[in-house]
Amino acid sequence: MRRSAKVLPLLGIFILFFALGVGQVYAACDEGTMEYGDACEATFNSGDEDPIVFAFDGAEGDVVTINLAWNENDDATGTLIIAGPVVDQGDFELQDAVEDDGGAVSLEEVELPTDGVYLIGVLFTSDNDIDFEVALDGEGGGDSTNNTTRGRGAGGGVDVECDDGTVVQNGVQVVINMRPSYNYTITAVGVDGFDPSMAIGTLDQLGISCSNDSRDAEDFEADLPTTGRVRGSDLSAQVVFSHSFNDFADISIVTGSPNGDAGDFILIVEGLAVTTNDGAGDPYIVQLTPNMTTAAVPMTIYMLAAERGLDPFIGWVTDFENFEFFTDNDDNPIYCDDGGNSNTCWGESESLEGSTISTTGGDVDGGPFDSMLSVDLSGFADLDFENEGPFVLNFLLSSYNGESTGNYVAIFPFGVDG
């Protein structure tokens, strides 16, 4: 076994993986993420130059050992890398690598310097496809969270204490993959007197920009099938957010209330667009938390075109690699093209004609081609969130068959239990 000089040029690739959201936590090994005690099997294809990357949440003082094993008869040199968490765009606090050609290599008893998301990279030099297993063991240190201040609220939601002192309790988290050089305006409007507070940030630092009561959001209103008419309030919260990364970055939106109250609110995200460079669509990740599964209302996503010509489409997918739709108990794929059309829109929906939502550029009115997807989360209430979570819901927002482009507004009416 020998220390590898390959680690330095590969760190640039790791930075890219961070920007693309590898740090997002899933509950399955095949999604590219691990927990202590996991062993993942995968195949490295001959000719590949980039490492296969796995991510795990670590806490300051944790001591981890990573073992990589493959068939020693495969005539391959294996490299095992650990790096993380990101200090800035071009550096990691911890970075190390080892390589060997004997069928096994290990990074043993590595002490993690701080809380954060860490990456494990596996790379082979070989003329053959290499089947391998990578195992992660760890113990010690902290609560294995990677956020500025984060905990589990009384109702099972997300708690954040922001850099400016704003408090968000019993919140829900939405992660969006945000374009560089764009400004997104994110507004939370309470229903029936609910007082929303909101924290915006990265996955490593949740509370960068926060809001409780915003004068700029006082006149924001909504009229949607699942909410009815929601009038403006001086309790509404709003943040205008951008980032300085060179590529797309995962941005976290945590919305709850200052006191962890139960109730309903509407999250409005504007500054969005379907473009020819989007691939399968814009990914949205909703972290499933217990307070959502026992809320009185289903979780709904609306996609309203902000300009003519865009035909919105919403899909619930299993992951962001294969883009396969989730299916119901009757094997029906879960997606919506035109709200209210039972042939093209799964579940209970209505036409969005007559609906409206406030934005900074004026009201956006719903049309016959706009989409909504409403999901009853009560069936997830029995999940073991403490030991088997976190769990996430993956959604893609795009256009029907990728045939149209244009600006749009995403709206998430949420309910949280106390």
Side-chain angles (χ1 to χ4, degrees):
M1 181 181 71
R2 51 193 179 275
R3 296 286 165 176
S4 174
K6 295 178 181 178
V7 65
L8 294 178
L10 289 174
L11 290 176
I13 297 171
F14 270 30
I15 290 288
L16 175 61
F17 275 104
F18 255 108
L20 295 177
V22 173
Q24 171 62 37
V25 178
Y26 293 84
C29 193
D30 59 5
E31 295 286 0
T33 58
M34 304 182 70
E35 297 178 351
Y36 295 153
D38 282 349
C40 295
E41 296 180 350
T43 299
F44 188 91
N45 295 319
S46 64
D48 284 355
E49 297 181 354
D50 296 339
I52 294 178
V53 179
F54 302 87
F56 69 94
D57 270 347
E60 180 179 354
D62 283 3
V63 177
V64 302
T65 294
I66 308 166
N67 296 303
L68 172 64
W70 68 98
N71 190 331
E72 63 180 347
N73 296 321
D74 283 338
D75 190 24
T77 298
T79 302
L80 180 62
I81 311 162
I82 184 172
V86 169
V87 176
D88 55 39
Q89 283 186 254
D91 198 12
F92 295 93
E93 186 157 344
L94 168 68
Q95 53 196 55
D96 199 358
V98 290
E99 66 177 21
D100 209 317
D101 54 9
V105 65
S106 299
L107 285 162
E108 298 181 352
E109 297 185 352
V110 178
E111 184 173 348
L112 304 185
T114 187
D115 295 358
V117 176
Y118 290 80
L119 299 182
I120 300 169
V122 175
L123 182 70
F124 286 94
T125 302
S126 177
D127 294 329
N128 305 310
D129 293 346
I130 305 299
D131 296 326
F132 68 88
E133 179 181 89
V134 60
L136 171 67
D137 292 308
E139 59 182 12
D143 59 1
S144 292
T145 62
N146 65 319
N147 303 310
T148 306
T149 303
R150 178 175 178 176
R152 182 63 57 80
V158 179
D159 293 351
V160 179
E161 182 177 347
C162 298
D163 296 346
D164 65 2
T166 301
V167 173
V168 182
Q169 294 186 336
N170 196 34
V172 299
Q173 183 181 39
V174 178
V175 178
I176 61 177
N177 197 234
M178 183 176 179
R179 291 176 172 85
S181 304
Y182 270 59
N183 287 328
Y184 288 6
T185 300
I186 305 165
T187 307
V189 181
V191 178
D192 295 332
F194 183 84
D195 180 10
S197 59
M198 183 167 49
I200 314 296
T202 65
L203 295 176
D204 290 325
Q205 191 174 8
L206 295 183
I208 296 175
S209 297
C210 301
S211 175
N212 183 12
D213 302 332
S214 170
R215 289 187 177 182
D216 293 334
E218 288 180 356
D219 296 328
F220 273 58
E221 298 188 342
D223 193 351
L224 301 166
T226 58
T227 65
R229 178 72 180 273
V230 179
R231 299 188 179 276
S233 168
D234 57 6
L235 300 176
S236 297
Q238 186 179 87
V239 171
V240 179
F241 192 84
S242 61
H243 70 77
S244 58
F245 297 108
N246 292 327
D247 209 327
F248 281 79
D250 278 354
I251 301 302
S252 165
I253 307 168
V254 178
T255 311
S257 70
N259 302 309
D261 297 332
D264 304 340
F265 61 88
I266 300 171
L267 188 69
I268 307 166
V269 185
E270 52 179 303
L272 307 165
V274 176
T275 74
T276 56
N277 298 320
D278 287 346
D282 291 339
Y284 293 78
I285 300 168
V286 178
Q287 181 173 330
L288 183 64
T289 45
N291 60 339
M292 299 166 61
T293 66
T294 54
V297 298
M299 186 201 75
T300 306
I301 302 175
Y302 292 91
M303 184 179 179
L304 302 187
E307 57 187 26
R308 297 179 63 181
L310 175 63
D311 183 2
F313 180 93
I314 304 171
W316 184 9
V317 297
T318 57
D319 58 68
F320 294 129
E321 294 181 359
N322 301 312
F323 305 112
E324 295 179 354
F325 294 117
F326 260 108
T327 59
D328 61 19
N329 291 333
D330 296 321
D331 291 328
N332 297 309
I334 300 178
Y335 63 80
C336 182
D337 178 23
D338 304 329
N341 185 337
S342 60
N343 294 320
T344 60
C345 190
W346 177 89
E348 297 183 7
S349 70
E350 299 180 28
S351 171
L352 276 298
E353 289 189 282
S355 298
T356 185
I357 194 74
S358 297
T359 72
T360 54
D363 289 348
V364 172
D365 297 325
F369 301 114
D370 290 331
S371 298
M372 63 174 289
L373 191 60
S374 191
V375 180
D376 181 2
L377 300 178
S378 62
F380 297 106
D382 293 333
L383 290 175
D384 187 352
F385 288 90
E386 189 69 28
N387 297 309
E388 297 181 6
F391 304 97
V392 297
L393 313 176
N394 301 319
F395 298 94
L396 279 176
L397 273 60
S398 58
S399 63
Y400 175 70
N401 282 342
E403 296 174 351
S404 57
T405 60
N407 296 325
Y408 70 91
V409 183
I411 307 107
F412 299 81
F414 283 109
V416 293
D417 199 1

